[in-house]
Amino acid sequence: MSLKTRSIVFATFFSSCLIVGLLVASLTTKNWIQGSAKRVNYNESNGQINFGLFSGHRRLNVGFGVRDYRIDVMAMVRNEPEVMSYWLWLGAALGTGLGVLGGVIAAIASVLKAASASKKTGTMVVLFVSNLMTGISQTIAFVCWLIQFYNYLTHNVLLAEDRNNNWYSTGLIMLGSSFYFIAGGIALVVVNLILLIVATRLERWERKKFLNPTTDDKTQGAIMLY
């Protein structure tokens, strides 16, 4: 494999690291959902809500100051299935986690391939498979959370105790930055796959050129005279 081809492969290392960074940030931050809450017939009451895949906060003000309540997303999914679907939540969480794993494998494989001049295709196969794995995993997470949002969360993100106190969040919720990290990761996977396809075609062209070297006119003439 030529230096040019290895350089293209090595470029995927940086985008793979960025994918891992985006997905880890997505898993650990609390902005998959953000929005506000209001209280029926209480104009002075307002609230702010944000949560990620595992935890978040709801800050409710009934007119006497803001009170910050922690949201345990796993407990909410388990105890209040009308708020969130367990399977859609699990799909988003597992998809994001598997995306991190695929990104790590892709980053390691890109370094190994770029450091070796060997023409064996095994590492390149690992690169393609790991990138496809992280791309598919992220797409599953993306789709699951979109379905979760439109089927459940746009209607309500509040616990029963809040709803019983006349709080509502219908039409006040939107997707947060943590969710859009997934979209960024998918875009980077597409970039990686394009670079790998370019590197593969370049390697084939170089191999064909090596096996079938072109001869110039002088060489052709010398051969004919001989």
Side-chain angles (χ1 to χ4, degrees), residues 24-225:
V24 169
S26 184
L27 282 170
T28 55
T29 51
K30 302 174 182 178
N31 287 302
W32 282 69
I33 288 295
Q34 58 189 38
S36 56
K38 293 183 179 180
R39 200 176 181 196
V40 178
N41 297 326
Y42 291 87
N43 294 330
E44 295 182 356
S45 298
N46 57 76
Q48 296 294 322
I49 302 166
N50 67 280
F51 58 84
L53 289 175
F54 303 105
S55 63
H57 294 274
R58 68 188 197 279
R59 301 171 182 87
L60 304 179
N61 182 0
V62 295
F64 303 101
V66 177
R67 294 186 178 182
D68 193 340
Y69 303 93
R70 183 178 179 275
I71 298 175
D72 185 340
V73 175
M74 295 181 69
M76 182 169 67
V77 171
R78 183 174 59 252
N79 299 327
E80 302 200 32
E82 70 277 6
V83 177
M84 289 179 67
S85 164
Y86 170 78
W87 295 109
L88 291 173
W89 169 82
L90 185 64
L94 284 179
T96 307
L98 289 174
V100 173
L101 178 61
V104 170
I105 295 172
I108 294 172
S110 64
V111 172
L112 294 176
K113 185 64 177 177
S116 173
S118 173
K119 296 182 179 180
K120 294 181 179 179
T121 59
T123 310
M124 189 64 81
V125 171
V126 173
L127 270 169
F128 272 105
V129 171
S130 57
N131 274 284
L132 286 171
M133 171 185 168
T134 188
I136 293 170
S137 298
Q138 289 180 85
T139 302
I140 290 172
F142 187 87
V143 171
C144 283
W145 198 255
L146 272 183
I147 296 172
Q148 183 90 272
F149 178 74
Y150 286 108
N151 284 3
Y152 292 88
L153 300 174
T154 53
H155 306 296
N156 171 61
V157 295
L158 295 166
L159 301 177
E161 60 181 287
D162 297 323
R163 300 197 301 273
N164 291 337
N165 286 321
N166 297 322
W167 287 96
Y168 69 93
S169 62
T170 306
L172 304 173
I173 300 300
M174 62 181 180
L175 295 165
S177 57
S178 301
F179 169 76
Y180 291 110
F181 289 158
I182 301 294
I186 294 172
L188 287 171
V189 169
V190 173
V191 171
N192 271 358
L193 290 172
I194 292 173
L195 289 173
L196 291 174
I197 290 170
V198 170
T200 302
R201 291 187 176 181
L202 182 60
E203 184 180 9
R204 287 177 181 174
W205 179 79
E206 290 172 346
R207 186 178 300 174
K208 186 182 295 184
K209 185 178 178 181
F210 176 78
L211 295 175
N212 301 295
T214 57
T215 55
D216 56 26
D217 293 340
K218 291 183 178 179
T219 306
Q220 289 280 10
I223 293 173
M224 291 177 68
L225 287 172

